[in-house]
Amino acid sequence: MKLKLNVNGKEYDLEIEDRKLLVDVIREDLALKGTHIGCDTTDCGACTVLLDDRPVKSCTVLAAQASGHKVTTLEGLSRSKEMKILQKSFVDNQGLQCGFCTSGMLISSYALLKKNKKPGELEIREALSGNLCRCTGYQGIVKSISEASKEIEKTQEKITEVAR
Ligand code: FES
Ligand code: FES
């Protein structure tokens, strides 16, 4: 089938098999390897991307279903200030070890902080309930997100001060 797909703000004209999954199009056709495949059974969340700003597991979405929507991968958020702060916080707070789950964790965290600027521990854990990590024990990840939310708030306060 022929398919138009908007990924990271860019329109792609693709010719793919009808049954091709979004994650496979992202990785194989668009060569965006920041989106990982950890299970292929909807369990791990390593393949999480934003679909119209909502986190989804791209191994459970047909590429055809994403047509007409806005798909955002980790690469598409690389210039975002919030994502840069999140990435630094994951490094500073031992939010990762092997890093395989990290892109999915970052996407879910980013989506959480967009709708809830000061999430509590339970809200963070709930937002990450679809993302599995086999290495960290989650404490470092939760701390990373919590610290990032404080840092993002500080940055916004500075911007407001400068604008006054
Ligand atoms: S690869 Fe999609 S949930 Fe694991
Ligand atoms: S850091 Fe290894 S799976 Fe999460």
Side-chain angles (χ1 to χ4, degrees):
M1 67 184 290
K2 287 186 194 279
L3 184 74
K4 277 190 190 298
L5 210 54
N6 183 313
V7 180
N8 299 333
K10 196 169 161 191
E11 290 287 340
Y12 292 91
D13 284 304
L14 302 162
E15 195 151 354
I16 58 161
E17 272 186 73
D18 301 12
R19 64 193 176 103
K20 195 156 186 176
L21 296 170
L22 179 58
V23 68
D24 293 326
V25 169
I26 288 171
R27 287 179 55 84
E28 293 168 11
D29 298 82
L30 308 184
L32 295 169
K33 306 286 184 173
T35 305
H36 292 169
I37 300 174
C39 66
D40 241 351
T41 51
T42 324
D43 289 311
C44 74
C47 63
T48 305
V49 299
L50 297 178
L51 191 62
D52 291 336
D53 303 326
R54 283 185 48 229
V56 297
K57 294 177 179 178
S58 59
C59 74
T60 67
V61 180
L62 290 169
Q65 290 175 297
S67 187
H69 299 275
K70 203 176 72 174
V71 179
T72 309
T73 69
L74 191 60
E75 291 88 345
L77 295 174
S78 60
R79 290 208 199 117
S80 140
K81 191 174 285 173
E82 289 93 342
M83 181 52 81
K84 282 184 182 155
I85 291 173
L86 266 168
Q87 286 173 318
K88 182 171 182 316
S89 193
F90 267 64
V91 172
D92 292 346
N93 295 289
Q94 283 94 43
L96 74 155
Q97 288 182 28
C98 79
F100 198 84
C101 69
T102 309
S103 67
M105 289 288 181
L106 286 168
I107 295 275
S108 294
S109 311
Y110 178 89
L112 169 66
L113 295 183
K114 276 284 164 192
K115 64 175 188 177
N116 181 353
K117 300 208 179 313
K118 281 188 191 174
E121 180 177 344
L122 277 179
E123 289 166 315
I124 294 174
R125 288 187 182 273
E126 197 178 309
L128 298 182
S129 58
N131 294 82
L132 300 181
C133 175
R134 66 178 183 174
C135 306
T136 63
Y138 299 96
Q139 300 291 356
I141 295 174
V142 172
K143 186 162 182 227
S144 302
I145 297 163
S146 180
E147 293 298 317
S149 75
K150 291 176 202 161
E151 194 55 39
I152 291 167
E153 195 183 19
K154 271 194 232 159
T155 313
Q156 278 158 357
E157 277 167 9
K158 272 186 210 154
I159 293 169
T160 316
E161 273 171 31
V162 171
R164 270 185 203 144

